[in-house]
Coordinates of all heavy atoms in Angstrom, one line a residue:
M152 N -17.5 -11.2 26.9 CA -17.0 -10.1 26.2 C -17.1 -10.4 24.7 O -16.8 -11.4 24.2 CB -15.5 -9.9 26.5 CG -14.9 -8.7 25.9 SD -13.2 -8.4 26.4 CE -13.1 -8.8 28.1
S153 N -17.7 -9.4 24.0 CA -17.9 -9.6 22.5 C -16.5 -9.3 21.8 O -15.7 -8.6 22.2 CB -19.0 -8.6 22.1 OG -18.6 -7.3 22.2
K154 N -16.5 -9.9 20.7 CA -15.3 -9.7 19.8 C -15.8 -8.9 18.6 O -17.0 -9.0 18.2 CB -14.8 -11.0 19.3 CG -14.4 -12.0 20.4 CD -13.0 -11.9 20.7 CE -12.6 -12.9 21.7 NZ -11.3 -12.7 22.2
R155 N -14.9 -8.2 18.0 CA -15.2 -7.5 16.7 C -14.2 -7.9 15.7 O -13.1 -8.3 16.0 CB -15.2 -6.0 16.9 CG -13.9 -5.4 17.3 CD -13.9 -3.9 17.4 NE -12.7 -3.3 17.9 CZ -11.8 -2.9 17.1 NH1 -11.9 -3.0 15.8 NH2 -10.7 -2.4 17.5
V156 N -14.6 -7.7 14.5 CA -13.7 -8.1 13.4 C -13.0 -6.8 12.9 O -13.7 -5.8 12.6 CB -14.5 -8.8 12.2 CG1 -13.6 -9.1 11.0 CG2 -15.1 -10.1 12.7
K157 N -11.7 -6.9 12.8 CA -10.9 -5.7 12.3 C -11.2 -5.5 10.8 O -11.3 -6.5 10.0 CB -9.5 -6.0 12.4 CG -8.6 -4.8 12.2 CD -7.1 -5.2 12.6 CE -6.3 -4.0 12.4 NZ -4.9 -4.4 12.7
Q158 N -11.5 -4.3 10.4 CA -11.9 -4.0 9.0 C -10.6 -4.3 8.1 O -9.5 -3.9 8.5 CB -12.3 -2.6 8.8 CG -13.7 -2.4 9.2 CD -14.1 -0.9 8.8 OE1 -13.4 0.0 8.9 NE2 -15.4 -0.8 8.5
L159 N -11.0 -4.7 6.9 CA -9.9 -4.9 5.9 C -9.6 -3.5 5.2 O -10.5 -2.6 5.2 CB -10.4 -5.8 4.8 CG -10.6 -7.3 5.2 CD1 -11.3 -8.1 4.2 CD2 -9.3 -7.9 5.6
P160 N -8.4 -3.3 4.7 CA -8.1 -2.1 4.0 C -9.1 -1.7 2.9 O -9.4 -0.6 2.7 CB -6.7 -2.2 3.4 CG -6.1 -3.3 4.3 CD -7.2 -4.2 4.7
Q161 N -9.6 -2.8 2.2 CA -10.6 -2.5 1.1 C -11.8 -1.9 1.6 O -12.5 -1.1 0.9 CB -10.8 -3.8 0.4 CG -9.7 -4.4 -0.4 CD -8.7 -5.2 0.5 OE1 -9.0 -5.4 1.7 NE2 -7.6 -5.6 -0.1
E162 N -12.2 -2.4 2.8 CA -13.4 -1.8 3.5 C -13.2 -0.3 3.9 O -14.2 0.4 4.1 CB -13.9 -2.7 4.6 CG -14.3 -4.1 4.2 CD -14.4 -5.0 5.3 OE1 -14.1 -4.6 6.5 OE2 -14.9 -6.1 5.2
R163 N -12.0 0.1 4.1 CA -11.7 1.4 4.5 C -11.4 2.3 3.3 O -11.0 3.5 3.6 CB -10.5 1.4 5.5 CG -10.8 0.8 6.8 CD -9.6 1.0 7.8 NE -8.4 0.5 7.3 CZ -7.8 -0.6 7.8 NH1 -8.3 -1.2 8.8 NH2 -6.6 -0.9 7.3
G164 N -11.4 1.8 2.2 CA -11.2 2.6 0.9 C -9.8 2.7 0.4 O -9.5 3.6 -0.3
S165 N -9.0 1.6 0.7 CA -7.7 1.6 0.1 C -7.3 0.2 -0.4 O -7.9 -0.8 0.0 CB -6.6 2.1 1.1 OG -6.6 1.3 2.3
V166 N -6.3 0.2 -1.2 CA -5.8 -1.1 -1.8 C -4.3 -1.1 -1.4 O -3.7 -0.1 -1.4 CB -5.9 -1.1 -3.3 CG1 -5.3 -2.4 -3.9 CG2 -7.4 -1.0 -3.7
L167 N -3.8 -2.4 -1.0 CA -2.4 -2.6 -0.7 C -1.6 -3.1 -1.8 O -2.1 -3.9 -2.6 CB -2.4 -3.6 0.5 CG -3.1 -3.2 1.8 CD1 -3.1 -4.3 2.9 CD2 -2.7 -1.8 2.4
F168 N -0.4 -2.5 -1.9 CA 0.5 -3.0 -3.0 C 1.8 -3.3 -2.4 O 2.3 -2.8 -1.4 CB 0.8 -1.8 -4.0 CG -0.4 -1.5 -4.9 CD1 -1.5 -0.7 -4.5 CD2 -0.4 -2.2 -6.1 CE1 -2.5 -0.5 -5.4 CE2 -1.5 -1.9 -7.0 CZ -2.5 -1.1 -6.7
D169 N 2.5 -4.3 -3.0 CA 3.9 -4.7 -2.8 C 4.8 -4.1 -3.9 O 4.5 -4.2 -5.0 CB 4.0 -6.2 -2.8 CG 3.3 -6.9 -1.7 OD1 3.1 -6.2 -0.6 OD2 2.9 -8.1 -1.9
V170 N 5.8 -3.5 -3.4 CA 6.7 -2.7 -4.4 C 8.0 -3.3 -4.3 O 8.6 -3.4 -3.2 CB 6.7 -1.2 -4.0 CG1 7.6 -0.4 -5.0 CG2 5.3 -0.6 -3.9
A171 N 8.6 -3.6 -5.5 CA 10.0 -4.0 -5.6 C 10.8 -2.9 -6.4 O 10.3 -2.3 -7.4 CB 10.1 -5.3 -6.5
Y172 N 11.9 -2.5 -5.8 CA 12.7 -1.4 -6.4 C 13.9 -1.9 -7.1 O 14.3 -3.1 -6.9 CB 13.1 -0.5 -5.3 CG 12.1 0.2 -4.5 CD1 11.4 -0.2 -3.3 CD2 11.5 1.4 -5.1 CE1 10.4 0.4 -2.8 CE2 10.5 2.1 -4.4 CZ 9.9 1.6 -3.2 OH 8.9 2.2 -2.7
E173 N 14.5 -1.1 -8.0 CA 15.6 -1.6 -8.8 C 16.8 -1.9 -8.0 O 17.7 -2.7 -8.5 CB 15.9 -0.6 -9.9 CG 14.8 -0.5 -11.0 CD 15.1 0.5 -12.1 OE1 16.2 1.1 -12.1 OE2 14.3 0.6 -12.9
D174 N 17.0 -1.4 -6.8 CA 18.2 -1.7 -6.0 C 18.0 -3.0 -5.2 O 18.9 -3.4 -4.4 CB 18.5 -0.5 -5.0 CG 17.3 -0.3 -4.0 OD1 16.3 -0.9 -4.0 OD2 17.6 0.5 -3.1
G175 N 16.9 -3.7 -5.4 CA 16.6 -5.0 -4.8 C 15.8 -5.0 -3.5 O 15.4 -6.0 -3.0
S176 N 15.6 -3.7 -3.0 CA 14.7 -3.6 -1.8 C 13.2 -3.8 -2.2 O 12.8 -3.6 -3.3 CB 15.0 -2.3 -1.1 OG 14.6 -1.2 -1.9
R177 N 12.4 -4.2 -1.1 CA 11.0 -4.4 -1.3 C 10.3 -3.7 -0.1 O 10.8 -3.6 1.0 CB 10.7 -5.9 -1.2 CG 11.3 -6.7 -2.3 CD 10.8 -8.2 -2.2 NE 9.4 -8.3 -2.5 CZ 8.9 -8.3 -3.7 NH1 9.6 -8.2 -4.8 NH2 7.6 -8.5 -3.9
K178 N 9.1 -3.2 -0.4 CA 8.2 -2.6 0.6 C 6.9 -3.3 0.4 O 6.3 -3.4 -0.7 CB 8.0 -1.2 0.4 CG 9.3 -0.3 0.4 CD 9.9 -0.2 1.8 CE 11.0 0.7 1.8 NZ 12.1 0.4 2.6
S179 N 6.3 -3.7 1.5 CA 5.0 -4.4 1.4 C 3.9 -3.5 2.0 O 4.1 -2.7 2.9 CB 5.1 -5.7 2.3 OG 6.0 -6.6 1.7
N180 N 2.7 -3.9 1.5 CA 1.5 -3.2 2.1 C 1.5 -1.6 2.0 O 1.1 -1.0 2.9 CB 1.2 -3.6 3.4 CG 0.9 -5.1 3.5 OD1 0.5 -5.8 2.6 ND2 1.3 -5.7 4.7
R181 N 1.9 -1.2 0.8 CA 1.8 0.3 0.6 C 0.4 0.7 0.3 O -0.2 0.1 -0.6 CB 2.7 0.8 -0.6 CG 4.2 0.5 -0.3 CD 4.8 1.5 0.7 NE 4.7 2.9 0.2 CZ 5.6 3.5 -0.4 NH1 6.7 3.0 -0.8 NH2 5.4 4.8 -0.8
R182 N -0.3 1.6 1.0 CA -1.7 1.9 0.8 C -1.9 2.9 -0.3 O -1.1 3.9 -0.4 CB -2.3 2.5 2.1 CG -2.5 1.6 3.2 CD -3.2 2.2 4.3 NE -3.1 1.4 5.5 CZ -3.9 0.4 5.8 NH1 -4.9 0.1 5.0 NH2 -3.7 -0.3 6.9
V183 N -2.9 2.6 -1.1 CA -3.2 3.5 -2.2 C -4.8 3.7 -2.2 O -5.5 2.7 -2.1 CB -2.8 3.0 -3.6 CG1 -3.3 3.8 -4.7 CG2 -1.3 2.8 -3.6
P184 N -5.3 4.9 -2.3 CA -6.7 5.1 -2.2 C -7.4 4.5 -3.5 O -6.9 4.5 -4.6 CB -7.0 6.6 -2.3 CG -5.7 7.3 -2.0 CD -4.6 6.2 -2.3
M185 N -8.6 3.8 -3.2 CA -9.3 3.2 -4.3 C -9.7 4.2 -5.4 O -9.9 3.8 -6.5 CB -10.5 2.4 -3.8 CG -10.2 1.1 -3.1 SD -11.8 0.4 -2.7 CE -11.2 -1.1 -2.0
E186 N -10.0 5.4 -5.0 CA -10.6 6.4 -5.9 C -9.7 6.7 -7.1 O -10.2 7.0 -8.2 CB -10.8 7.7 -5.2 CG -11.9 7.6 -4.0 CD -11.1 7.2 -2.7 OE1 -10.1 7.7 -2.5 OE2 -11.8 6.5 -2.0
I187 N -8.4 6.5 -6.9 CA -7.5 6.8 -8.1 C -7.3 5.6 -8.9 O -6.7 5.7 -10.0 CB -6.1 7.4 -7.6 CG1 -5.3 6.3 -6.8 CG2 -6.4 8.6 -6.7 CD1 -3.9 6.7 -6.6
L188 N -7.7 4.4 -8.6 CA -7.6 3.2 -9.4 C -8.7 2.9 -10.3 O -9.8 3.4 -10.1 CB -7.3 2.0 -8.5 CG -6.1 2.1 -7.5 CD1 -6.1 0.9 -6.6 CD2 -4.8 2.2 -8.3
G189 N -8.5 2.1 -11.3 CA -9.5 1.7 -12.2 C -9.5 2.4 -13.6 O -8.5 3.1 -13.9
G190 N -10.5 2.1 -14.4 CA -10.4 2.7 -15.7 C -9.5 2.0 -16.6 O -9.1 0.9 -16.4
F191 N -9.1 2.7 -17.7 CA -8.2 2.1 -18.6 C -6.8 2.1 -18.2 O -6.0 1.3 -18.7 CB -8.3 2.9 -20.0 CG -9.7 2.9 -20.6 CD1 -10.4 4.1 -20.8 CD2 -10.1 1.7 -21.1 CE1 -11.7 4.0 -21.4 CE2 -11.4 1.6 -21.7 CZ -12.1 2.8 -21.9
D192 N -6.4 2.8 -17.2 CA -5.1 2.9 -16.7 C -4.8 1.7 -15.8 O -3.6 1.5 -15.5 CB -4.8 4.2 -16.0 CG -4.8 5.4 -16.9 OD1 -4.6 5.2 -18.2 OD2 -5.1 6.5 -16.5
G193 N -5.7 1.0 -15.2 CA -5.5 -0.1 -14.3 C -4.8 0.4 -13.1 O -5.2 1.3 -12.4
D194 N -3.6 -0.2 -12.8 CA -2.8 0.1 -11.6 C -1.8 1.1 -11.8 O -1.0 1.5 -10.9 CB -2.2 -1.1 -10.9 CG -3.3 -2.1 -10.4 OD1 -4.4 -1.7 -10.2 OD2 -2.9 -3.3 -10.2
E195 N -1.7 1.8 -13.0 CA -0.7 2.8 -13.3 C -0.8 4.0 -12.3 O 0.2 4.5 -11.9 CB -0.7 3.2 -14.8 CG 0.4 4.1 -15.2 CD 1.8 3.4 -15.0 OE1 1.9 2.1 -15.1 OE2 2.8 4.2 -14.8
P196 N -2.0 4.5 -12.0 CA -2.1 5.6 -11.1 C -1.5 5.3 -9.7 O -1.0 6.1 -9.0 CB -3.7 5.8 -11.0 CG -4.2 5.3 -12.3 CD -3.4 4.2 -12.6
A197 N -1.5 4.0 -9.3 CA -0.9 3.6 -8.0 C 0.6 3.7 -8.1 O 1.2 4.2 -7.2 CB -1.3 2.1 -7.7
R198 N 1.2 3.4 -9.2 CA 2.6 3.6 -9.4 C 3.0 5.1 -9.3 O 3.9 5.4 -8.5 CB 3.1 3.1 -10.8 CG 4.5 3.3 -11.0 CD 4.9 2.8 -12.4 NE 4.8 1.4 -12.5 CZ 5.8 0.5 -12.3 NH1 7.0 1.0 -11.9 NH2 5.7 -0.8 -12.4
L199 N 2.2 6.0 -9.9 CA 2.5 7.4 -9.8 C 2.2 7.9 -8.3 O 3.1 8.7 -7.8 CB 1.6 8.2 -10.7 CG 1.7 7.8 -12.2 CD1 0.6 8.6 -13.1 CD2 3.1 8.2 -12.7
F200 N 1.3 7.5 -7.7 CA 0.9 7.8 -6.3 C 2.1 7.4 -5.4 O 2.6 8.2 -4.5 CB -0.4 7.2 -5.8 CG -0.8 7.6 -4.4 CD1 -1.4 8.8 -4.2 CD2 -0.5 6.7 -3.4 CE1 -1.8 9.1 -3.0 CE2 -1.0 7.0 -2.1 CZ -1.6 8.2 -1.9
I201 N 2.5 6.1 -5.5 CA 3.7 5.7 -4.7 C 5.0 6.4 -5.0 O 5.8 6.7 -4.1 CB 3.8 4.1 -4.8 CG1 2.6 3.5 -4.2 CG2 5.1 3.6 -4.2 CD1 2.5 2.0 -4.4
E202 N 5.3 6.7 -6.3 CA 6.4 7.5 -6.7 C 6.4 8.8 -6.1 O 7.5 9.3 -5.6 CB 6.5 7.5 -8.2 CG 7.0 6.2 -8.9 CD 7.1 6.3 -10.4 OE1 6.5 7.3 -11.0 OE2 7.6 5.4 -11.0
E203 N 5.3 9.5 -6.0 CA 5.1 10.8 -5.4 C 5.4 10.7 -3.9 O 6.2 11.5 -3.3 CB 3.7 11.4 -5.6 CG 3.5 11.8 -7.0 CD 2.0 12.2 -7.2 OE1 1.3 12.3 -6.2 OE2 1.7 12.6 -8.3
Q204 N 5.0 9.7 -3.2 CA 5.3 9.5 -1.8 C 6.7 9.2 -1.6 O 7.4 9.8 -0.7 CB 4.5 8.2 -1.3 CG 3.0 8.5 -1.0 CD 2.3 7.2 -0.5 OE1 2.9 6.1 -0.7 NE2 1.3 7.3 0.2
D205 N 7.3 8.4 -2.5 CA 8.7 8.1 -2.3 C 9.6 9.4 -2.5 O 10.6 9.5 -1.9 CB 9.2 7.0 -3.3 CG 8.7 5.7 -3.0 OD1 8.2 5.5 -1.8 OD2 8.8 4.7 -3.8
E206 N 9.2 10.2 -3.5 CA 9.9 11.4 -3.8 C 9.9 12.4 -2.5 O 10.9 13.0 -2.1 CB 9.3 12.1 -5.0 CG 10.1 13.3 -5.4 CD 11.6 13.0 -5.8 OE1 11.8 11.9 -6.5 OE2 12.5 13.7 -5.5
A207 N 8.7 12.4 -1.9 CA 8.6 13.3 -0.7 C 9.5 12.7 0.4 O 10.1 13.5 1.1 CB 7.1 13.3 -0.2
I208 N 9.5 11.4 0.6 CA 10.3 10.7 1.6 C 11.9 11.0 1.3 O 12.6 11.3 2.2 CB 10.0 9.3 1.7 CG1 8.6 9.0 2.3 CG2 11.0 8.6 2.5 CD1 8.1 7.6 2.2
A209 N 12.2 10.9 0.0 CA 13.6 11.1 -0.4 C 14.0 12.6 -0.1 O 15.1 12.8 0.3 CB 13.8 10.7 -1.8
Q210 N 13.2 13.5 -0.3 CA 13.5 14.9 0.0 C 13.7 15.2 1.4 O 14.7 15.8 1.8 CB 12.4 15.9 -0.5 CG 12.4 15.9 -2.0 CD 11.2 16.9 -2.5 OE1 10.4 17.3 -1.8 NE2 11.2 17.1 -3.8
K211 N 12.8 14.6 2.3 CA 13.0 14.7 3.7 C 14.2 14.0 4.2 O 14.9 14.5 5.2 CB 11.8 14.2 4.4 CG 10.6 15.0 4.2 CD 9.3 14.5 4.8 CE 8.1 15.3 4.5 NZ 6.9 14.7 5.0
S212 N 14.6 12.8 3.7 CA 15.7 12.1 4.2 C 17.0 12.5 3.6 O 18.1 12.2 4.2 CB 15.5 10.5 4.0 OG 15.6 10.3 2.6
G213 N 17.0 13.1 2.5 CA 18.2 13.6 1.9 C 18.9 12.5 1.0 O 20.0 12.6 0.6
R214 N 18.2 11.4 0.8 CA 18.7 10.3 0.0 C 18.0 10.1 -1.3 O 16.7 10.3 -1.3 CB 18.6 8.9 0.8 CG 19.4 8.8 2.1 CD 19.2 7.5 2.6 NE 19.6 7.5 4.0 CZ 19.4 6.4 4.8 NH1 18.9 5.3 4.3 NH2 19.8 6.4 6.1
P215 N 18.7 9.8 -2.3 CA 17.9 9.6 -3.6 C 17.0 8.4 -3.5 O 17.4 7.4 -2.8 CB 19.0 9.5 -4.7 CG 20.2 9.0 -3.9 CD 20.1 9.5 -2.5
R216 N 15.8 8.4 -4.2 CA 14.9 7.2 -4.2 C 15.3 6.3 -5.4 O 15.8 6.8 -6.3 CB 13.5 7.7 -4.3 CG 13.1 8.2 -5.6 CD 11.6 8.4 -5.6 NE 11.2 8.9 -6.9 CZ 10.9 8.1 -8.0 NH1 11.0 6.9 -7.8 NH2 10.6 8.6 -9.1
S217 N 15.1 5.1 -5.1 CA 15.3 4.1 -6.2 C 14.1 3.9 -7.1 O 12.9 4.0 -6.6 CB 15.7 2.7 -5.5 OG 15.9 1.8 -6.5
P218 N 14.2 3.8 -8.4 CA 13.0 3.6 -9.2 C 12.3 2.3 -8.9 O 13.0 1.3 -8.5 CB 13.7 3.6 -10.6 CG 15.0 4.2 -10.5 CD 15.5 3.9 -9.1
I219 N 11.1 2.3 -9.2 CA 10.2 1.2 -9.0 C 10.5 0.2 -10.2 O 10.4 0.5 -11.3 CB 8.8 1.5 -8.9 CG1 8.5 2.4 -7.6 CG2 7.9 0.3 -8.9 CD1 7.1 2.9 -7.5
Q220 N 10.8 -1.1 -9.7 CA 10.9 -2.1 -10.8 C 9.6 -2.9 -11.0 O 9.2 -3.1 -12.2 CB 12.0 -3.1 -10.3 CG 12.2 -4.3 -11.3 CD 13.3 -5.2 -10.8 OE1 13.7 -5.1 -9.6 NE2 13.8 -6.1 -11.6
E221 N 8.9 -3.2 -10.0 CA 7.7 -4.0 -10.1 C 6.6 -3.5 -9.0 O 7.1 -3.3 -7.9 CB 8.0 -5.4 -9.9 CG 6.9 -6.4 -10.2 CD 7.3 -7.9 -10.1 OE1 8.5 -8.1 -9.9 OE2 6.4 -8.6 -10.1
L222 N 5.4 -3.6 -9.4 CA 4.4 -3.2 -8.5 C 3.2 -4.3 -8.6 O 2.7 -4.4 -9.7 CB 3.7 -1.8 -8.9 CG 2.7 -1.2 -8.1 CD1 3.3 -0.7 -6.7 CD2 2.1 0.0 -8.8
D223 N 2.9 -4.9 -7.5 CA 1.9 -6.0 -7.4 C 0.9 -5.7 -6.3 O 1.3 -5.2 -5.3 CB 2.5 -7.3 -7.2 CG 3.4 -7.7 -8.4 OD1 3.0 -7.6 -9.5 OD2 4.5 -8.3 -8.1
R224 N -0.4 -6.0 -6.5 CA -1.3 -5.9 -5.4 C -1.0 -7.0 -4.4 O -0.6 -8.2 -4.7 CB -2.7 -6.2 -5.9 CG -3.2 -5.0 -6.7 CD -4.7 -5.2 -7.1 NE -5.1 -4.1 -8.0 CZ -6.2 -3.5 -7.8 NH1 -7.1 -3.8 -6.8 NH2 -6.6 -2.4 -8.6
S225 N -1.1 -6.6 -3.1 CA -0.9 -7.6 -2.0 C -2.0 -8.5 -2.0 O -3.1 -8.2 -2.3 CB -0.8 -6.8 -0.7 OG 0.3 -5.9 -0.7
M226 N -1.7 -9.7 -1.4 CA -2.8 -10.7 -1.2 C -3.7 -10.2 -0.1 O -3.4 -9.6 0.8 CB -2.2 -12.0 -0.8 CG -1.4 -12.7 -1.9 SD -0.7 -14.3 -1.4 CE -2.0 -15.1 -0.5
I227 N -5.0 -10.5 -0.3 CA -6.0 -10.2 0.7 C -6.0 -11.2 1.7 O -6.2 -12.3 1.6 CB -7.4 -10.0 0.0 CG1 -7.4 -9.0 -1.1 CG2 -8.5 -9.8 1.1 CD1 -8.7 -8.9 -1.9
K228 N -5.8 -10.7 3.0 CA -5.8 -11.6 4.2 C -7.2 -11.6 4.8 O -8.0 -10.7 4.8 CB -4.8 -11.1 5.2 CG -3.4 -11.0 4.7 CD -2.4 -10.5 5.6 CE -1.1 -10.4 5.1 NZ -0.1 -9.7 6.0
A229 N -7.4 -12.7 5.5 CA -8.6 -12.9 6.2 C -8.7 -11.9 7.4 O -7.6 -11.7 8.1 CB -8.8 -14.3 6.8
P230 N -9.8 -11.4 7.8 CA -9.8 -10.5 9.0 C -9.5 -11.2 10.3 O -9.8 -12.4 10.4 CB -11.3 -10.0 9.0 CG -12.0 -11.0 8.2 CD -11.1 -11.6 7.2
K231 N -8.9 -10.5 11.2 CA -8.5 -11.0 12.5 C -9.6 -10.6 13.5 O -10.2 -9.5 13.5 CB -7.2 -10.5 12.9 CG -6.1 -10.9 12.1 CD -4.8 -10.3 12.6 CE -3.6 -10.6 11.6 NZ -2.4 -10.0 12.1
L232 N -9.8 -11.4 14.5 CA -10.7 -11.0 15.6 C -9.9 -10.2 16.6 O -8.7 -10.6 16.9 CB -11.2 -12.4 16.3 CG -12.3 -13.1 15.6 CD1 -12.7 -14.3 16.3 CD2 -13.5 -12.3 15.3
V233 N -10.5 -9.1 17.0 CA -9.8 -8.2 17.9 C -10.6 -8.1 19.2 O -11.8 -7.8 19.1 CB -9.6 -6.8 17.2 CG1 -8.9 -5.9 18.2 CG2 -8.8 -7.0 16.0
S234 N -10.0 -8.2 20.3 CA -10.7 -8.0 21.6 C -11.1 -6.6 21.7 O -10.3 -5.7 21.4 CB -9.9 -8.5 22.7 OG -10.5 -8.3 24.0
E235 N -12.3 -6.2 22.3 CA -12.7 -4.9 22.5 C -12.0 -4.2 23.7 O -12.2 -3.0 23.9 CB -14.2 -4.8 22.5 CG -14.8 -5.0 21.2 CD -16.3 -4.6 21.3 OE1 -16.7 -3.9 22.2 OE2 -17.0 -5.1 20.4
D236 N -11.4 -4.9 24.5 CA -10.8 -4.4 25.8 C -9.5 -3.7 25.5 O -8.8 -3.2 26.5 CB -10.7 -5.4 26.9 CG -9.7 -6.6 26.4 OD1 -9.6 -6.8 25.2 OD2 -9.1 -7.2 27.4
R237 N -9.0 -3.6 24.3 CA -7.8 -3.0 24.0 C -7.9 -1.5 24.1 O -8.4 -0.6 23.8 CB -7.3 -3.3 22.5 CG -6.7 -4.7 22.6 CD -6.1 -4.9 21.2 NE -5.4 -6.2 21.3 CZ -4.6 -6.6 20.4 NH1 -4.5 -5.9 19.2 NH2 -4.0 -7.7 20.4

């Protein structure tokens, strides 16, 4: 049985970010499309994208969202071998 390698998020067109909020909570591996990143703004468009997502989640849940304290790119992990019989 052959094995295939699971694609990395970068190969699928997204970048992963770790987000730290002012209330002390953390969220890992938040996906941001590569198309909005780059240029002179660097990762600032990612902050705006994640803030928009958080605002939509806050409206649906009825809870106020916490402001973002820090935004870092996640470490790139090595691809995993995945069995094709799944």
Side-chain angles (χ1 to χ4, degrees):
M152 181 180 319
S153 66
K154 303 262 184 192
R155 67 179 174 90
V156 176
K157 190 174 181 181
Q158 280 188 328
L159 295 172
Q161 294 80 5
E162 295 169 353
R163 292 189 303 249
S165 60
V166 178
L167 301 177
F168 284 88
D169 294 331
V170 183
Y172 295 94
E173 289 183 3
D174 65 357
S176 62
R177 297 185 65 83
K178 303 286 187 219
S179 297
N180 298 331
R181 298 284 302 264
R182 286 186 198 274
V183 176
M185 278 186 183
E186 298 86 38
I187 66 170
L188 299 175
F191 295 116
D192 295 332
D194 290 343
E195 190 59 29
R198 178 183 292 270
L199 299 174
F200 183 81
I201 291 173
E202 285 176 348
E203 289 174 6
Q204 286 181 336
D205 287 349
E206 189 61 40
I208 292 168
Q210 287 177 354
K211 290 177 184 177
S212 69
R214 296 184 197 175
R216 71 173 183 87
S217 182
I219 294 175
Q220 179 180 10
E221 186 179 353
L222 184 73
D223 296 318
R224 287 186 185 226
S225 298
M226 290 180 47
I227 298 174
K228 297 179 183 175
K231 296 180 182 177
L232 289 176
V233 179
S234 173
E235 286 191 19
D236 61 334
R237 284 187 170 187

